[in-house]
Amino acid sequence: MFCGNCGTKLPEGAKFCGSCGTSTEPAQHVNPEPQVNTAPNQSQQQAAPPPYQQGYAPPPPPPQATTYYAPSNTEPLRVGQYILMFILLSIPIVGFILTLVWAFGGSVNLNKKNYARAVLILAVIGIVLSILFGAAILSAILGMLNSLSYSLY
Ligand SMILES: [Zn+2]
């Protein structure tokens, strides 16, 4: 056993160094204790992240909140709602107006809104195609009439 301060050899169990007077016990205990203290500190630092993660946890709830009041417009339509929707759409003028309202309305169920937009897009495509076909058929008929009139004269 040696003195931690001056290195003088000490008798076993001596509490103080005979040459420099340094206490041997505190010197032996001071070194282990910081190691013991650093271990709890590390465990505290490891225990500290959870509150930090809990600090991170609150941000996710807002997205959950957005998904909470979104379902009112995005939840799937029930069968009865679909039946009612098709019955309303089958009414000639009311159906067209409702389609416009549903397609551009603010608080309309997404399914109904997307369906109404699809109906409108298909209607526009149908109108354009019918105009193109109608023009083609008209020109063909006019061409035939012209050729007939030429053959008559
Ligand atoms: Zn000493």
PDB file of all heavy atoms in Angstrom, residues 2-8 10 16-22 24, ligand 1:
ATOM      1  N   PHE A   2       0.621   2.155  -0.956  1.00  0.00           N
ATOM      2  CA  PHE A   2       1.459   3.347  -1.078  1.00  0.00           C
ATOM      3  C   PHE A   2       0.595   4.598  -0.968  1.00  0.00           C
ATOM      4  O   PHE A   2      -0.611   4.570  -1.257  1.00  0.00           O
ATOM      5  CB  PHE A   2       2.181   3.350  -2.435  1.00  0.00           C
ATOM      6  CG  PHE A   2       3.122   2.182  -2.569  1.00  0.00           C
ATOM      7  CD1 PHE A   2       2.696   0.977  -3.139  1.00  0.00           C
ATOM      8  CD2 PHE A   2       4.436   2.283  -2.109  1.00  0.00           C
ATOM      9  CE1 PHE A   2       3.558  -0.085  -3.253  1.00  0.00           C
ATOM     10  CE2 PHE A   2       5.299   1.211  -2.228  1.00  0.00           C
ATOM     11  CZ  PHE A   2       4.859   0.023  -2.800  1.00  0.00           C
ATOM     12  N   CYS A   3       1.224   5.699  -0.578  1.00  0.00           N
ATOM     13  CA  CYS A   3       0.502   6.972  -0.505  1.00  0.00           C
ATOM     14  C   CYS A   3       0.160   7.454  -1.904  1.00  0.00           C
ATOM     15  O   CYS A   3       0.990   7.414  -2.817  1.00  0.00           O
ATOM     16  CB  CYS A   3       1.383   8.014   0.219  1.00  0.00           C
ATOM     17  SG  CYS A   3       0.686   9.682   0.156  1.00  0.00           S
ATOM     18  N   GLY A   4      -1.067   7.888  -2.089  1.00  0.00           N
ATOM     19  CA  GLY A   4      -1.466   8.369  -3.411  1.00  0.00           C
ATOM     20  C   GLY A   4      -0.857   9.718  -3.723  1.00  0.00           C
ATOM     21  O   GLY A   4      -0.804  10.108  -4.899  1.00  0.00           O
ATOM     22  N   ASN A   5      -0.351  10.438  -2.761  1.00  0.00           N
ATOM     23  CA  ASN A   5       0.184  11.789  -2.998  1.00  0.00           C
ATOM     24  C   ASN A   5       1.681  11.778  -3.241  1.00  0.00           C
ATOM     25  O   ASN A   5       2.164  12.287  -4.265  1.00  0.00           O
ATOM     26  CB  ASN A   5      -0.152  12.672  -1.790  1.00  0.00           C
ATOM     27  CG  ASN A   5       0.256  14.120  -2.027  1.00  0.00           C
ATOM     28  OD1 ASN A   5       0.191  14.589  -3.154  1.00  0.00           O
ATOM     29  ND2 ASN A   5       0.696  14.810  -0.978  1.00  0.00           N
ATOM     30  N   CYS A   6       2.428  11.135  -2.296  1.00  0.00           N
ATOM     31  CA  CYS A   6       3.893  11.198  -2.398  1.00  0.00           C
ATOM     32  C   CYS A   6       4.504   9.847  -2.732  1.00  0.00           C
ATOM     33  O   CYS A   6       5.687   9.768  -3.056  1.00  0.00           O
ATOM     34  CB  CYS A   6       4.511  11.731  -1.087  1.00  0.00           C
ATOM     35  SG  CYS A   6       4.214  10.652   0.341  1.00  0.00           S
ATOM     36  N   GLY A   7       3.736   8.758  -2.665  1.00  0.00           N
ATOM     37  CA  GLY A   7       4.253   7.455  -3.059  1.00  0.00           C
ATOM     38  C   GLY A   7       4.995   6.734  -1.949  1.00  0.00           C
ATOM     39  O   GLY A   7       5.565   5.675  -2.182  1.00  0.00           O
ATOM     40  N   THR A   8       4.984   7.286  -0.758  1.00  0.00           N
ATOM     41  CA  THR A   8       5.660   6.621   0.346  1.00  0.00           C
ATOM     42  C   THR A   8       4.925   5.338   0.713  1.00  0.00           C
ATOM     43  O   THR A   8       3.688   5.295   0.704  1.00  0.00           O
ATOM     44  CB  THR A   8       5.699   7.547   1.586  1.00  0.00           C
ATOM     45  OG1 THR A   8       6.327   8.777   1.228  1.00  0.00           O
ATOM     46  CG2 THR A   8       6.456   6.882   2.737  1.00  0.00           C
ATOM     47  N   LEU A  10       3.198   2.724   2.867  1.00  0.00           N
ATOM     48  CA  LEU A  10       2.468   2.893   4.123  1.00  0.00           C
ATOM     49  C   LEU A  10       2.135   1.541   4.710  1.00  0.00           C
ATOM     50  O   LEU A  10       1.951   0.573   3.964  1.00  0.00           O
ATOM     51  CB  LEU A  10       1.166   3.664   3.893  1.00  0.00           C
ATOM     52  CG  LEU A  10       1.310   5.060   3.267  1.00  0.00           C
ATOM     53  CD1 LEU A  10      -0.063   5.646   2.991  1.00  0.00           C
ATOM     54  CD2 LEU A  10       2.102   5.970   4.195  1.00  0.00           C
ATOM     55  N   PHE A  16      -3.578   7.766   7.270  1.00  0.00           N
ATOM     56  CA  PHE A  16      -2.868   8.979   6.860  1.00  0.00           C
ATOM     57  C   PHE A  16      -1.438   8.621   6.497  1.00  0.00           C
ATOM     58  O   PHE A  16      -0.844   7.719   7.077  1.00  0.00           O
ATOM     59  CB  PHE A  16      -2.876  10.027   7.973  1.00  0.00           C
ATOM     60  CG  PHE A  16      -4.259  10.517   8.324  1.00  0.00           C
ATOM     61  CD1 PHE A  16      -4.964   9.949   9.361  1.00  0.00           C
ATOM     62  CD2 PHE A  16      -4.846  11.545   7.571  1.00  0.00           C
ATOM     63  CE1 PHE A  16      -6.229  10.391   9.678  1.00  0.00           C
ATOM     64  CE2 PHE A  16      -6.113  11.984   7.894  1.00  0.00           C
ATOM     65  CZ  PHE A  16      -6.811  11.411   8.941  1.00  0.00           C
ATOM     66  N   CYS A  17      -0.903   9.330   5.527  1.00  0.00           N
ATOM     67  CA  CYS A  17       0.488   9.113   5.114  1.00  0.00           C
ATOM     68  C   CYS A  17       1.425   9.646   6.206  1.00  0.00           C
ATOM     69  O   CYS A  17       1.228  10.759   6.692  1.00  0.00           O
ATOM     70  CB  CYS A  17       0.768   9.828   3.791  1.00  0.00           C
ATOM     71  SG  CYS A  17       2.515   9.784   3.321  1.00  0.00           S
ATOM     72  N   GLY A  18       2.464   8.853   6.544  1.00  0.00           N
ATOM     73  CA  GLY A  18       3.380   9.272   7.586  1.00  0.00           C
ATOM     74  C   GLY A  18       4.291  10.401   7.146  1.00  0.00           C
ATOM     75  O   GLY A  18       4.755  11.193   7.971  1.00  0.00           O
ATOM     76  N   SER A  19       4.569  10.557   5.829  1.00  0.00           N
ATOM     77  CA  SER A  19       5.534  11.573   5.383  1.00  0.00           C
ATOM     78  C   SER A  19       4.846  12.882   4.976  1.00  0.00           C
ATOM     79  O   SER A  19       5.320  13.962   5.288  1.00  0.00           O
ATOM     80  CB  SER A  19       6.364  11.047   4.214  1.00  0.00           C
ATOM     81  OG  SER A  19       5.550  10.865   3.101  1.00  0.00           O
ATOM     82  N   CYS A  20       3.697  12.796   4.258  1.00  0.00           N
ATOM     83  CA  CYS A  20       3.049  14.036   3.783  1.00  0.00           C
ATOM     84  C   CYS A  20       1.722  14.312   4.492  1.00  0.00           C
ATOM     85  O   CYS A  20       1.161  15.392   4.366  1.00  0.00           O
ATOM     86  CB  CYS A  20       2.834  14.011   2.279  1.00  0.00           C
ATOM     87  SG  CYS A  20       1.606  12.806   1.750  1.00  0.00           S
ATOM     88  N   GLY A  21       1.190  13.337   5.214  1.00  0.00           N
ATOM     89  CA  GLY A  21      -0.034  13.576   5.977  1.00  0.00           C
ATOM     90  C   GLY A  21      -1.309  13.483   5.169  1.00  0.00           C
ATOM     91  O   GLY A  21      -2.399  13.743   5.687  1.00  0.00           O
ATOM     92  N   THR A  22      -1.225  13.099   3.910  1.00  0.00           N
ATOM     93  CA  THR A  22      -2.439  12.991   3.097  1.00  0.00           C
ATOM     94  C   THR A  22      -3.291  11.822   3.564  1.00  0.00           C
ATOM     95  O   THR A  22      -2.786  10.740   3.831  1.00  0.00           O
ATOM     96  CB  THR A  22      -2.061  12.779   1.613  1.00  0.00           C
ATOM     97  OG1 THR A  22      -1.245  13.851   1.196  1.00  0.00           O
ATOM     98  CG2 THR A  22      -3.308  12.677   0.748  1.00  0.00           C
ATOM     99  N   THR A  24      -5.421   8.677   3.330  1.00  0.00           N
ATOM    100  CA  THR A  24      -5.425   7.625   2.314  1.00  0.00           C
ATOM    101  C   THR A  24      -6.845   7.210   1.938  1.00  0.00           C
ATOM    102  O   THR A  24      -7.131   6.882   0.791  1.00  0.00           O
ATOM    103  CB  THR A  24      -4.662   6.388   2.830  1.00  0.00           C
ATOM    104  OG1 THR A  24      -5.282   5.977   4.056  1.00  0.00           O
ATOM    105  CG2 THR A  24      -3.209   6.740   3.096  1.00  0.00           C
TER     106      THR A  24
HETATM  107 ZN    ZN B   1       2.378  10.777   1.436  1.00  0.00          ZN
END
